[in-house]
Amino acid sequence: MAFMFDRTHFVDERTLSVSVKNKGLNYGLGCIDGIRAFWNEDKNQLYIFRLEDHFERFHRSGKALSIQIPYSVDQLSYITKQLLLMNRTTQDVYIRPICFKGGNTLRPELQDPYNHLAIYADYIDYEPKPSLKVGISSWTRMGSNMIPPQAKSTAGYMNSGLAIQEAALNGYDEAVFLTEEGHVSEGAAENIFIVRGGEVFTPPIADDILPGITRDTVAEILMEELRIPISEKSIARVELYEADEIFLTGTAIGIKPIIEVDRRRIGKGEPGEVTLEIQRLYNKIVRGQMPPYLFYCTPLY
Ligand code: PMP
């Protein structure tokens, strides 16, 4: 899209530059978030999904990583709405806030007070598959005392990148991480859920996951709409192979069925009933088609 927000004002995306000495660029000292806006054809309306919740997580990431974000949640939400109004569209868009260290000294110092902030919006540039075949990564999820995965740091995506590359080389659509203890953690950029015997389980925060906003919405759908028990618990690798259904969740991919893990068929080898029902409801909620959940959707026009 043409315009983005650069710390103090809106600029043409093509005119922006950053020093090659920048610490965010050199050392990955930054945090991000990922938000989506969905077009509702019937209402002629673009809705931003859980806008404030994303910026609250952005602030929590900043706090965990000692990166002071120079605007409040309200200000960031306001700026984002202005940004989308400047880039009018009738398509779904992805919104990326990023806050990263300024300064051009050599040391990777977090205490340097100057931070850059930018927000840009774009279209999602790939056509997702309806279901995924995944592999357990030989890369371990980075531990909470390494680079805390509970915060959405830019540096943490090196861990994800290595796993994504390995998965692709092995012919998988996506990687699933284990923790150092061998518990199932999450996908390279998604949370994971299993369905077993009419119950749903997902790893707890302590198993080195990002607390996903989609994960949270799925828990609400299960409790409020489907009345299916959902709980956090550590999951062993074999529990994936034995699961009735598995799915990944994330802002970019929504709810995505997994039909194979390590070339082993999951359940019947096709998207499961519970997964598809969650997916159906989630797709309606984000697009502002479920009145009880309209409070999650920020209208733009
Ligand atoms: N884990 C990781 C590592 C991610 O990058 C993402 C995507 N933001 C998620 C989980 C899912 O989070 P959300 O549902 O908030 O997009």
Side-chain angles (χ1 to χ4, degrees), residues 57 141 152 157 186 188-191 210 212-214 249-251:
R57 182 175 66 184
R141 187 67 176 141
K152 208 166 161 59
Y157 283 90
E186 60 179 346
E190 311 86 13
N191 293 116
L210 181 78
I213 307 279
T214 321
T249 68
T251 298

Side-chain angles (χ1 to χ4, degrees), residues 57-204:
R57 182 175 66 184
F58 189 45
H59 266 272
R60 282 198 301 276
S61 294
K63 206 167 174 187
L65 301 166
S66 290
I67 293 169
Q68 297 76 30
I69 293 167
Y71 290 100
S72 69
V73 168
D74 283 351
Q75 287 169 325
L76 291 166
S77 302
Y78 177 78
I79 294 164
T80 303
K81 284 186 265 181
Q82 295 305 112
L83 176 69
L84 291 190
L85 287 171
M86 291 173 87
N87 291 289
R88 266 180 176 265
T89 176
T90 58
Q91 288 182 49
D92 298 352
V93 289
Y94 189 84
I95 302 150
R96 162 59 46 81
I98 175 167
C99 188
F100 57 101
K101 281 286 150 197
N104 54 16
T105 56
L106 268 181
R107 274 169 67 75
E109 297 160 317
L110 278 170
Q111 62 271 30
D112 190 320
Y114 186 79
N115 294 327
H116 292 282
L117 175 94
I119 306 178
Y120 64 88
D122 214 339
Y123 302 113
I124 290 192
D125 56 2
Y126 59 88
E127 195 56 49
K129 293 186 174 176
S131 60
L132 304 180
K133 298 177 178 180
V134 306
I136 302 289
S137 186
S138 73
W139 297 97
T140 300
R141 187 67 176 141
M142 59 205 183
S144 300
N145 292 318
M146 300 175 185
I147 299 171
Q150 295 82 2
K152 208 166 161 59
S153 66
T154 51
Y157 283 90
M158 181 55 89
N159 189 217
S160 298
L162 289 167
I164 288 171
Q165 183 206 33
E166 182 193 54
L169 289 174
N170 289 334
Y172 296 125
D173 300 316
E174 184 56 298
V176 171
F177 280 119
L178 302 180
T179 65
E180 280 189 291
E181 297 76 31
H183 300 162
V184 173
S185 177
E186 60 179 346
E190 311 86 13
N191 293 116
I192 192 163
F193 288 74
I194 63 170
V195 183
R196 189 180 65 201
E199 285 187 60
V200 178
F201 303 96
T202 194

